[in-house]
Amino acid sequence: MSDTTLADALRARIIAGEFAPGERLSETSLAARLDVSRNTLREAFRVLAQHGLVEHVPNRGVSVASPTTADVVDIYRARRQIECGILRDASALHPSVAVMREELERAEAGVEAGDWPVVAAANMGFHRALVALSDSPRLERTHEQLLAELRLAFLAIADFESLHRPFVTRNRAVLDALVDRGPQAAADELEDYLTESERRVLGAYARLGRG
Amino acid sequence: MSDTTLADALRARIIAGEFAPGERLSETSLAARLDVSRNTLREAFRVLAQHGLVEHVPNRGVSVASPTTADVVDIYRARRQIECGILRDASALHPSVAVMREELERAEAGVEAGDWPVVAAANMGFHRALVALSDSPRLERTHEQLLAELRLAFLAIADFESLHRPFVTRNRAVLDALVDRGPQAAADELEDYLTESERRVLGAYARLGRG
DNA sequence: TCGACCCACATTGTTGAACAATCATTGCGA
DNA sequence: TCGCAATGATTGTTCAACAATGTGGGTCGA
């Protein structure tokens, strides 16, 4: 199996919650379980470590990342910088606006159905489409990594409903603001969104005695 | 040798211009030359590929990245987004302002001495310190990768003087604006800087028949 | 009982060799 | 000249081994 494919497969498994945040990933046993050699697995680990999905400590192996409070704060700081900046410069005519609307509707349908994993995915899709407004592959890549890390924080908290349900209407507000009141208003809405979302995550962390 | 150390060493060599942008990096010969095994080298390659410093094509190995015109445009787009956004929210009292001043003086001394590599390094140091105003490790990491890629573009152009000399006074203007006229004015100055710098790089690329 | 030290064990870091898979080139024939 | 198959080189992957490092347990002494 190609190492990139392997890294992608591992990434998907981690994001799906197959491995708990903080869980130690033994090279020997995981290699056996995935039916690849240790060397191949190690190459995949390097990729994931660069993505921030696993943490690599020399001579002590890799574990699934488990974002600390400081990490969460930093992730949201970076998100604010990137997402708000992009939105402020965005055009409501960009094709990606349609994608944002699709994801929003998917999230709203998910709320109706009470399917919180769908809501979570759609909310993230909304913000991914938002970043695509920038037409910058590098910003999209960076943002994608931020979302992947953040998803680990969500996994540690595990309460998808309270983490995602309240934010569907906020995403609606962001999109409406972009279309009706212009990019600056949308950026302001988004900043509120992110501040509130960060507050929720940090609150849950505090209740858990951190992540 | 630890793989991270190896990746760092390779990164330094690439950035120093030891390998030309676009040059093919043979696993066997490079492993022999660096006195490491192929497997270890491959792990380091994965790290560098994630940094955008080398390009990895399946079954065709890795080459030193050689940014295309589109890459340069994207790098500057991302820089504008990140650096200007940070500067707009920055405080002139942040400790990193002192670092910016140091790098600026180093650059000015370099201009006096006609030492363009020093000027180039100091200019980049200035912008690195600028991003450090954000106190965000993730933004710093992303920005560092952008600079590394950009350095490859500079290497392809090779005319350090015209790429870096004009921008020392512009950096001075950014710093002065931050201290004297506030973050918004500084962000405006910086936007001019980046636009002009991008124009220069693209112009040189055009003269070379692209990179 | 408690703490310091030492040793065996487990895991990672790295190597070298081997083989399959894929790509590039060369030379042949039509 | 063009297409094509054989050939050689390089990458992808595996395996086995050993060195280096970290971990935990157990002994010994106070």
Side-chain angles (χ1 to χ4, degrees), chain A:
Chain A
M1 185 183 298
S2 157
D3 65 294
T4 303
T5 308
L6 177 59
D8 288 345
L10 262 177
R11 176 194 166 96
R13 288 191 185 214
I14 291 173
I15 285 176
E18 186 165 331
F19 307 97
E23 180 178 344
R24 174 86 168 278
L25 297 177
S26 152
E27 294 188 355
T28 321
S29 61
L30 190 56
R33 183 168 153 195
L34 297 177
D35 200 45
V36 296
S37 85
R38 250 182 83 210
N39 284 326
T40 307
L41 180 60
R42 284 170 60 88
E43 286 188 14
F45 275 165
R46 295 305 173 278
V47 175
L48 295 177
Q50 290 299 320
H51 283 228
L53 268 171
V54 302
E55 193 181 6
H56 173 54
V57 183
N59 291 313
R60 253 188 282 172
V62 310
S63 342
V64 179
S66 181
T68 64
T69 298
D71 288 324
V72 171
V73 170
D74 191 43
I75 290 170
Y76 274 99
R77 184 174 299 158
R79 280 190 73 184
R80 244 189 305 272
Q81 203 62 252
I82 291 176
E83 293 191 31
C84 293
I86 287 172
L87 202 49
R88 196 163 27 224
D89 297 345
S91 155
L93 302 176
H94 192 285
S96 200
V97 171
V99 181
M100 291 170 71
R101 179 162 288 116
E102 283 168 24
E103 295 287 359
L104 184 53
E105 284 163 3
R106 218 155 62 85
E108 288 171 341
V111 170
E112 286 295 315
D115 189 340
W116 309 122
V118 161
V119 176
N123 274 354
M124 289 200 173
F126 179 87
H127 289 266
R128 195 178 295 119
L130 190 158
V131 172
L133 292 171
S134 70
D135 289 315
S136 167
R138 280 165 185 76
L139 287 176
E140 291 179 43
R141 188 165 57 87
T142 296
H143 183 256
E144 190 64 38
Q145 292 178 16
L146 292 173
L147 286 190
E149 284 189 88
L150 196 52
R151 199 167 338 210
L152 292 179
F154 291 159
L155 279 177
I157 296 172
D159 181 4
F160 274 33
E161 178 171 357
S162 84
L163 285 175
H164 296 290
R165 178 177 209 163
F167 296 101
V168 176
T169 59
R170 283 182 172 272
N171 278 338
R172 164 67 68 188
V174 170
L175 183 56
D176 288 347
L178 176 62
V179 174
D180 300 335
R181 291 153 45 216
Q184 181 63 53
D188 292 344
E189 288 284 349
L190 179 58
E191 181 139 10
D192 285 352
Y193 173 111
L194 290 171
T195 301
E196 173 66 14
S197 175
E198 177 184 13
R199 208 180 60 75
R200 291 245 173 185
V201 174
L202 291 179
Y205 261 43
R207 279 191 294 281
L208 290 175
R210 285 195 306 124

Side-chain angles (χ1 to χ4, degrees), chain B residues 1-3 35-40 43 58-60:
Chain B
M1 185 183 298
S2 157
D3 65 293
D35 199 45
V36 296
S37 84
R38 251 183 82 213
N39 285 324
T40 307
E43 285 188 15
N59 291 313
R60 253 187 283 172

